[in-house]
């Protein structure tokens, strides 16, 4: 199943979805508030349906989970050997706020672990992609750059963050380590900054879904990075009734002394 042709077919779907997103971005869109108090736009819903249809045509026998189409009980999906998981518009608030920092995210999960991931930011002309055993890459303005293992962070290091929880994150950093922030938009694009080496890690002390982290898991794994919860345990996929992730840290180098760097009050 994991072939270069499959990977490039998924990249093509992400790029096509990105073109649709740009058309929505060029005009005003209708916004609703979901039951979890997060926004959803007509762009989210259109892209979700578009990507689902394209993936169904590509792999008819593989189930699909979308953030906008995920009301499937664990009893029904527990025996899935593989499935697609997508976030049609990661960074909906960024899309609404017109920061350009949003992405289409598609991942393939096999035996409860992500094995293929694509993160495409159409307004930034950036596409991160990775596949198990294949490596991780960044396509930027038409140029393809292999992503390399990240060096271990020095005592002074950079954390990718959103707009909230910054004081709490800073308070978790233990001496003699000192941290500075790189503030950025969507969750998947902060993972991309870690993969690129713009940041050493990304700390999230807020709710996300499994669709927010699946592509990042394989992107970081292919360069020696990792994602773990605040107890320094790996995240899980399709093992719980809920899709809500625990709070987490994404790191560019899993060999770092992260348990000495961070002390979280859970």
């Amino acid at each position: 199943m994991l072939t270069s042709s499959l990977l490039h077919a998924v990249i093509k779907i992400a790029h096509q979805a990105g073109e649709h997103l740009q058309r929505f971005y060029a005009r005003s869109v209708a916004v609703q508030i979901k039951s979890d108090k997060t926004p959803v736009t007509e762009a989210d819903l259109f892209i979700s349906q578009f990507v689902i249809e394209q993936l169904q045509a590509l792999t008819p026998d593989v189930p699909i989970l979308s953030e906008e189409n995920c009301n499937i009980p664990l009893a029904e999906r527990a025996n899935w050997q593989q499935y697609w998981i997508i976030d049609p518009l990661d960074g909906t608030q960024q899309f609404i706020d017109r920061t350009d920092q949003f992405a289409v995210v598609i991942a393939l999960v096999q035996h409860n672990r992500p094995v293929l991931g694509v993160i495409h930011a159409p307004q930034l002309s950036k596409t991160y992609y990775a596949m198990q055993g294949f490596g991780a890459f960044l396509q930027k303005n038409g140029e393809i750059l292999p992503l390399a293992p990240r060096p271990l962070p020095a005592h002074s290091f950079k954390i990718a963050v959103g707009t909230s929880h910054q004081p709490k994150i800073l308070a978790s950093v233990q001496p003699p380590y000192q941290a500075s922030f790189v503030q950025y938009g969507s969750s998947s694009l902060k993972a991309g900054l870690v993969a690129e080496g713009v940041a050493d890690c990304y700390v999230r002390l807020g709710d996300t879904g499994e669709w927010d982290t699946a592509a990042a898991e394989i992107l970081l794994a292919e360069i020696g990075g990792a994602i773990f919860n605040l107890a320094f345990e790996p995240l899980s996929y399709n093992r719980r009734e809920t899709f809500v992730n625990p709070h987490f840290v994404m790191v560019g180098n899993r060999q770092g002394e992260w348990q000495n760097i961070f002390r979280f009050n859970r």
Side-chain angles (χ1 to χ4, degrees):
M1 180 92 187
L2 295 181
T3 63
S4 179
S5 61
L6 176 70
L7 175 60
H8 287 97
V10 177
I11 293 170
K12 182 179 179 180
I13 292 170
H15 284 179
Q16 290 172 333
E19 291 171 6
H20 285 300
L21 261 185
Q22 286 180 303
R23 284 193 280 273
F24 281 104
Y25 198 57
R27 61 176 178 81
S28 61
V29 295
V31 181
Q32 298 175 310
I33 302 300
K34 296 191 287 188
S35 60
D36 64 358
K37 306 284 197 299
T38 61
V40 62
T41 72
E42 57 182 311
D44 295 73
L45 301 175
F46 178 91
I47 299 301
S48 180
Q49 188 59 36
F50 173 80
V51 174
I52 287 172
E53 290 174 356
Q54 296 299 310
L55 291 175
Q56 284 174 335
L58 179 66
T59 55
D61 298 326
V62 180
I64 303 167
L65 275 174
S66 168
E67 179 180 8
E68 309 308 335
N69 185 22
C70 61
N71 294 323
I72 304 171
L74 181 62
E76 183 178 335
R77 52 186 164 84
N79 294 324
W80 289 356
Q81 297 302 299
Q82 62 181 346
Y83 64 97
W84 296 103
I85 184 167
I86 65 175
D87 190 342
L89 176 47
D90 180 38
T92 299
Q93 191 62 55
Q94 304 296 326
F95 183 90
I96 294 168
D97 294 343
R98 307 194 65 76
T99 69
D100 295 352
Q101 296 170 7
F102 55 86
V104 180
V105 184
I106 306 172
L108 179 67
V109 178
Q110 293 181 341
H111 307 292
N112 303 102
R113 299 306 305 167
V115 295
L116 181 155
V118 177
I119 301 166
H120 174 55
Q123 287 297 115
L124 304 177
S125 298
K126 296 174 78 170
T127 307
Y128 302 92
Y129 60 92
M131 189 168 66
Q132 190 175 72
F134 182 80
F137 300 84
L138 168 60
Q139 185 178 21
K140 185 176 181 180
N141 297 318
E143 183 181 5
I144 297 176
L145 307 169
L147 296 172
R150 309 311 321 159
L152 290 170
H155 281 163
S156 179
F157 67 102
K158 293 181 179 180
I159 307 174
V161 293
T163 56
S164 58
H165 302 108
Q166 293 185 13
K168 188 179 291 188
I169 293 169
L170 202 58
S172 70
V173 178
Q174 301 300 295
Y177 295 97
Q178 294 181 316
S180 58
F181 291 140
V182 180
Q183 188 170 308
Y184 212 71
S186 80
S187 186
S188 62
L189 293 181
K190 288 193 277 288
L193 296 183
V194 175
E196 283 187 73
V198 175
D200 297 292
C201 65
Y202 158 37
V203 178
R204 175 73 181 210
L205 303 183
D207 286 349
T208 57
E210 292 179 16
W211 40 77
D212 291 307
T213 55
E217 282 269 7
I218 186 61
L219 182 73
L220 293 172
E222 285 296 299
I223 62 166
I227 309 177
F228 41 76
N229 65 21
L230 303 191
F232 301 95
E233 302 163 337
L235 302 187
S236 65
Y237 292 87
N238 200 33
R239 291 186 180 276
R240 297 168 297 138
E241 199 67 59
T242 178
F243 293 109
V244 178
N245 285 320
H247 300 174
F248 61 73
V249 181
M250 293 187 183
V251 302
N253 189 324
R254 68 168 67 93
Q255 302 302 322
E257 296 182 349
W258 299 106
Q259 295 191 53
N260 294 329
I261 293 174
F262 289 111
R263 194 72 48 81
F264 297 103
N265 294 320
R266 300 190 300 280

